[in-house]
């Protein structure tokens, strides 16, 4: 079972953006660019990034992740890691205009990745000549801000069970947007990274996952996750309680 069966792994250059398995959820497709515009704007030769490496993101570029996973993180003075967000295939690093990473922040590759680059200057040029593109970019930016805000709120409020449940639901919904989604998804992040993102301890994350597995809400084998009871996970994310038999 492999995530790479769900989309082109970016091992070779594309003759067109439409050849990419992620095209229907890609930023360039939502802009409605024709093939000539794609050639002018998108750097389509996927850039490889090994697990454990970093992506040297330039605020002047958009980075469209084609495979793998990336975390945006930094370390505190006492050596603890703080994780601001995760990026999955089809998602864009640097989408919010003017976004700048702090000097001590890094975009770390969690598992072998490939990505394309799209200079903001090219997007701005399209916006200047096409009102439709300008409107679409505005919609995408507003949507991105809204999603980021909701994701942040869910990650830092409520009980540990609420946070973990909401995190799993978010991962599943994001994976469902990719071509040919499967019932199982592979968690690119380990429990320590989940804990750092949710501001919990590793022990708490492990305890909640174990309870959800015993309840039958999820099936978790190693890093492979399958949601068995979506309604129960939804209820828990909204503050519902687990059955007393496992509380």
């Amino acid at each position: 079972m492999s995530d790479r069966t769900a989309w082109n792994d970016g091992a070779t250059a594309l003759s067109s953006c439409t050849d990419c398995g992620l095209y229907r959820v890609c930023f360039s497709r939502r802009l409605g660019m024709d093939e000539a515009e794609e050639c002018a704007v998108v750097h389509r030769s996927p850039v490889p990034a090994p697990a454990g490496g970093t992506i040297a993101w330039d605020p002047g570029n958009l980075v469209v992740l084609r495979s793998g996973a990336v975390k945006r993180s930094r370390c505190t003075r006492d050596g603890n890691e703080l994780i601001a967000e995760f990026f999955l295939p089809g998602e864009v690093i640097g989408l919010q205009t003017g976004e700048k990473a702090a000097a001590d922040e890094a975009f770390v590759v969690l598992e072998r990745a490939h990505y394309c680059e799209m200079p903001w200057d090219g997007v701005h040029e399209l916006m200047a000549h096409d009102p439709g593109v300008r409107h679409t970019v505005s919609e995408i930016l507003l949507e991105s801000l809204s999603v980021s805000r909701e994701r942040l709120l869910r990650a830092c409020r409520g009980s540990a069970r609420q946070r973990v449940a909401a995190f799993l639901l978010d991962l599943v919904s994001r994976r469902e947007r990719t071509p040919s989604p499967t019932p199982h998804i592979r968690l690119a992040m380990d429990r320590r990274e989940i804990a750092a993102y949710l501001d919990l301890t590793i022990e708490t994350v492990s305890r909640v996952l174990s309870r959800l597995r015993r309840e039958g809400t999820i099936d978790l084998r190693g890093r492979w996750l399958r949601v068995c009871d979506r309604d129960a996970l939804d209820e828990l994310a909204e503050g519902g309680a687990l059955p007393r038999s496992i509380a």
Side-chain angles (χ1 to χ4, degrees):
M1 187 183 302
S2 171
D3 279 297
R4 297 192 184 97
T5 63
W7 47 76
N8 188 326
D9 72 357
T12 59
L14 298 172
S15 59
S16 171
C17 285
T18 55
D19 293 336
C20 178
L22 289 172
Y23 179 66
R24 69 179 179 86
V25 296
C26 184
F27 182 77
S28 65
R29 185 256 186 180
R30 293 189 64 182
L31 293 184
M33 293 190 295
D34 59 30
E35 188 164 345
E37 290 169 330
E38 290 169 357
C39 289
V41 175
V42 183
H43 295 177
R44 289 185 315 215
S45 296
V47 181
T54 59
I55 293 178
W57 173 65
D58 178 347
N61 286 339
L62 296 173
V63 170
V64 183
L65 194 63
R66 286 196 47 204
S67 65
V70 173
K71 65 179 178 181
R72 179 177 180 174
S73 68
R74 68 182 182 87
C75 288
T76 62
R77 291 182 179 179
D78 56 4
N80 292 320
E81 183 180 35
L82 299 178
I83 297 178
E85 55 190 323
F86 296 105
F87 297 92
L88 303 178
E91 297 178 351
V92 183
I93 297 171
L95 184 56
Q96 297 173 15
T97 307
E99 180 182 7
K100 293 183 180 180
D104 58 350
E105 277 190 330
F107 293 91
V108 182
V109 181
L110 295 174
E111 55 187 17
R112 189 174 73 95
H114 290 83
Y115 61 90
C116 298
E117 293 181 317
M118 182 184 300
W120 261 121
D121 286 347
V123 177
H124 289 157
E125 184 175 347
L126 289 176
M127 291 170 63
H129 293 89
D130 189 333
V133 171
R134 188 160 57 246
H135 176 72
T136 299
V137 170
S138 296
E139 285 189 332
I140 292 172
L141 290 174
L142 287 173
E143 177 185 315
S144 175
L145 287 168
S146 177
V147 169
S148 295
R149 182 170 57 249
E150 179 63 23
R151 197 169 284 156
L152 179 62
L153 287 173
R154 283 179 170 267
C156 65
R157 72 180 181 191
S159 67
R161 291 177 295 178
Q162 282 180 267
R163 297 186 205 183
V164 173
F167 175 74
L168 297 180
L169 285 171
D170 180 60
L171 286 183
V172 170
S173 65
R174 290 157 74 181
R175 287 297 196 188
E176 287 174 344
R177 295 179 61 246
T178 61
S180 305
T182 60
H184 292 81
I185 65 170
R186 185 179 185 280
L187 300 178
M189 60 292 297
D190 59 27
R191 297 186 183 192
R192 180 192 61 79
E193 289 162 329
I194 294 173
Y197 175 68
L198 299 176
D199 193 22
L200 300 170
T201 65
I202 301 175
E203 292 77 15
T204 298
V205 169
S206 295
R207 185 166 59 250
V208 172
L209 290 173
S210 295
R211 294 172 71 183
L212 290 173
R213 185 170 59 243
R214 290 199 304 271
E215 179 196 20
T217 303
I218 64 171
D219 179 22
L220 186 62
R221 304 183 184 187
R223 289 200 182 186
W224 287 101
L225 168 75
R226 180 171 66 90
V227 175
C228 305
D229 191 336
R230 185 73 168 261
D231 291 340
L233 201 59
D234 274 321
E235 182 179 355
L236 184 55
E238 295 301 325
L242 291 171
R244 291 185 179 180
S245 60
I246 64 163

